[in-house]
Each structure stands twice: as structure tokens, then as C-alpha cells.
């Protein structure tokens, strides 16, 4: 792999109470590419994704050891600034959670918090990010209408636009299309492929066809361990490890 790692994980172990959820994770996630995390239910995909954004911190009884380097800086280091770390990453959840306000204000929310743009600048930002997710034409006549009036697929694109408006470097997605119809799913997948020009993208998915369509690299996780990591075609079509073979065999023809 010749690309620079954007996220580097070193000897990461996550325990909650007596459960050892992630075991000695070592991985370098390349910059400006899409990496999918696959594996059976309960294997630790969401936990791994959340460890990149320090979203595990608040779980009672959690114990995290090891390092996660983002741009070379350890996000679990003593002097790490959690707000800054989170600002670098946009998170697209399984279901869209638009803020209970207008379409316009959903996008303007982040820029308003992080700076004091003028009305004119905000208008331009809102248009820019709605265009970036292909939503502008659909909503330009109702920008001040409630975000909750949008379809679920449109809401998910709005949430993506809201995340992008904070200017992250990394986009994390946890089964972000699982609540969507096939057309909305396709729109999000196409956006992901476009967005990797500018962002490092890490997606959790249990849909191997989706991993194949959108990702450059795949991480296969099984019972809290990374079994195999490599280019998409290699993992899905010609894996080295027996466990990976067995996992992908049932799904890929
Ligand atoms: N807050 C928690 N407290 C205790 N155990 C937890 C907690 N969160 C997750 N786990 C356990 O950690 C393991 C990994 O969970 P995780 O949500 O990361 O799996 P996953 O691979 O994302 O699964 P799925 O595909 O079903 O979403 C599971 O056994 C889960 O029950
Ligand atoms: Mg999960």
C-alpha cells in the first residue's frame, strides 16, 4: 500500500467490563479512499468505527488501551482535544437524524457554531453543500420548510451535507444506507465514490455487494479481531485467510 495512512491504529484493545471487544487491532487506513469494515453481527464493527471518533469514551466500564493516530496525532493521548478530533470527522449514522429545524438551518448549524459567517456566505454554503449531495434541485424551493418533512433518503443526504458543512477530513458511516430504499442507497453510494477524492471514508456494512461497489479496501473483523485487510477484490475474490474465505463465500458468486 503506497498511500499515506490517515488513521493509524496500534495495539488497540477495547474492553467493556469483562468483555474483550477489540483485540490487538493494528491497521493503517489510507488517505482519500473508501475502506469498508465487514464481519458478522456482534464482531465489533461499530465498536471499531466508534474508537476512531472517541465515541466509546462515555460507555460505563469501558477500558481502551493502545493508540489511534489521526494525521499522526494520538487521539487517545494525554493532550488530545476531543472537540477538535470530532470536528475532523463526520459521522453518518444508520438512520438519519436531522435537527428539528429547517432544511436551511440544518446545514447552517455547523458553520454558525464554528464561525460567524454573513447571511450571504451562509446562503452560499447551504447551496454548495446541498448541491454536493444532489439535494439542491429537490429542495431549493422549500429551504425554510422543516427537515423532517423530507423523505428518509433525502434526510440521509441532508445529514451528509450537514456533516460536510463542518469541513471534516474523514467520513465515518455505520450501515448508513440500511434504512434506505434502493434508489436512495444508490445515490448515497455514488456520493461516497465521488467524495473519496477529498475525504478519507470508513464504512461499516454488512452488505458485501455494497462493499464491493464502493470500497477500495476491506477490513474483515471476526470476534473482535482483524482477520484480514487488503484491496477489495483481493478480500472478496481471493482472500488469504480461511475465515475470510468462509465468510465471503456465501455472499459472492
Ligand atoms: N455498551 C456496551 N456494553 C457491553 N457490550 C457491548 C456494548 N456495546 C457493544 N457491546 C458488545 O460488543 C460486541 C461488539 O458490538 P458491535 O456493536 O461493535 O458489533 P457489530 O459488529 O457492529 O454488530 P452489528 O453488525 O450487529 O451491528 C457485541 O458482542 C456487543 O454486544
Ligand atoms: Mg454495528
Amino acid at each position: 500500500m503506497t498511500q499515506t495512512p490517515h488513521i493509524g491504529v496500534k495495539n488497540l484493545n477495547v474492553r467493556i467490563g469483562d468483555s474483550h471487544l477489540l483485540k490487538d487491532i493494528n491497521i493503517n487506513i489510507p488517505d482519500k479512499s473508501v475502506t469498508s469494515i465487514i464481519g458478522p453481527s456482534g464482531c465489533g464493527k461499530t465498536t471499531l468505527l466508534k474508537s476512531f471518533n472517541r465515541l466509546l469514551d462515555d460507555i460505563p466500564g469501558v477500558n481502551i488501551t493502545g493508540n489511534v493516530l489521526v494525521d499522526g496525532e494520538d487521539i487517545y493521548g494525554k493532550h488530545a482535544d476531543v472537540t477538535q478530533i470530532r470536528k475532523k470527522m463526520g459521522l453518518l449514522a444508520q438512520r438519519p437524524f436531522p435537527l428539528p429545524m429547517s432544511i436551511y438551518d440544518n446545514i447552517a448549524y455547523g458553520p454558525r457554531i464554528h464561525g460567524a459567517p454573513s447571511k450571504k456566505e451562509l446562503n452560499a454554503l447551504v447551496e454548495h453543500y446541498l448541491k454536493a449531495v444532489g439535494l439542491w434541485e429537490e429542495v431549493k424551493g422549500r429551504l425554510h420548510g422543516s427537515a423532517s418533512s423530507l423523505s428518509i433518503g433525502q434526510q440521509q443526504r441532508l445529514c451528509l451535507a450537514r456533516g460536510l458543512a463542518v469541513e471534516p477530513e474523514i467520513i465515518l458511516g455505520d450501515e448508513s444506507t440500511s434504512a434506505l430504499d434502493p434508489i436512495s442507497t444508490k445515490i448515497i453510494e455514488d456520493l461516497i465514490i465521488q467524495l473519496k477524492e477529498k475525504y478519507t471514508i470508513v464504512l461499516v456494512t454488512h452488505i458485501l455487494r455494497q462493499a464491493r461497489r464502493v470500497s477500495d479496501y476491506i477490513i474483515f473483523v471476526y470476534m473482535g479481531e482483524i482477520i484480514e485487510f487488503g484491496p477489495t477484490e483481493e478480500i472478496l475474490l481471493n482472500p488469504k485467510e480461511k475465515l475470510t474465505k468462509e465468510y465471503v463465500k456465501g455472499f459472492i458468486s
Side-chain angles (χ1 to χ4, degrees):
M1 224 154 288
T2 50
Q3 280 163 295
T4 347
H6 199 161
I7 305 175
V9 183
K10 289 186 184 159
N11 305 323
L12 179 73
N13 282 278
V14 175
R15 293 177 175 82
I16 298 177
D18 294 335
S19 318
H20 196 175
L21 304 189
L22 292 179
K23 299 168 190 160
D24 266 321
I25 301 292
N26 285 284
I27 194 99
N28 282 326
I29 295 185
D31 198 9
K32 309 259 184 316
S33 53
V34 181
T35 301
S36 291
I37 304 173
I38 65 167
S41 182
C43 70
K45 302 181 294 297
T46 297
T47 309
L48 181 59
L49 195 77
K50 285 183 171 173
S51 75
F52 301 158
N53 206 3
R54 291 204 41 175
L55 284 174
L56 302 171
D57 292 23
D58 301 332
I59 300 174
V62 73
N63 177 274
I64 304 167
T65 59
N67 314 95
V68 175
L69 307 173
V70 175
D71 297 322
E73 243 180 279
D74 185 6
I75 67 166
Y76 289 102
K78 269 203 188 93
H79 304 292
D81 177 343
V82 180
T83 313
Q84 276 310 107
I85 292 161
R86 296 221 174 112
K87 193 174 174 294
K88 281 189 180 183
M89 307 196 200
L91 182 71
L92 199 57
Q94 190 159 6
R95 297 184 159 273
F97 290 106
L99 302 169
M101 47 182 79
S102 70
I103 294 169
Y104 183 101
D105 286 339
N106 261 271
I107 310 289
Y109 187 82
R112 276 183 182 134
I113 285 183
H114 293 293
S118 67
K119 179 86 187 142
K120 200 173 151 209
E121 283 166 331
L122 269 183
N123 289 346
L125 283 175
V126 168
E127 181 171 342
H128 174 81
Y129 287 108
L130 286 173
K131 279 183 172 162
V133 299
L135 206 52
W136 175 250
E137 288 303 322
E138 288 159 68
V139 303
K140 65 182 181 190
R142 52 193 274 215
L143 291 178
H144 297 286
S146 162
S148 60
S149 67
L150 296 172
S151 75
I152 300 293
Q154 288 172 328
Q155 287 182 23
Q156 192 65 313
R157 279 186 282 152
L158 182 72
C159 290
L160 181 58
R162 184 181 77 206
L164 297 180
V166 189
E167 299 185 346
E169 298 172 9
I170 296 170
I171 301 169
L172 306 175
D174 193 353
E175 311 224 16
S176 312
T177 62
S178 61
L180 308 186
D181 64 276
I183 291 174
S184 302
T185 298
K186 172 87 169 61
I187 294 173
I188 295 274
E189 287 179 357
D190 290 346
L191 279 169
I192 287 166
I193 294 167
Q194 272 177 36
L195 289 170
K196 76 174 178 186
E197 273 182 33
K198 288 195 193 148
Y199 305 89
T200 298
I201 303 175
V202 189
L203 304 173
V204 166
T205 180
H206 66 272
I207 309 166
L208 295 193
R209 270 171 290 116
Q210 177 168 78
R212 189 173 183 180
R213 280 194 295 267
V214 303
S215 46
D216 302 293
Y217 302 98
I218 292 183
I219 301 171
F220 173 56
V221 181
Y222 188 79
M223 292 178 74
E225 286 181 69
I226 292 184
I227 306 296
E228 200 167 342
F229 169 60
T232 297
E233 292 286 303
E234 190 178 306
I235 299 292
L236 294 183
L237 302 176
N238 194 18
K240 292 190 178 75
E241 301 296 327
K242 190 165 172 276
L243 273 172
T244 321
K245 251 179 218 146
E246 283 171 7
Y247 185 70
V248 301
K249 198 168 58 184
F251 299 89
I252 300 286
S253 54

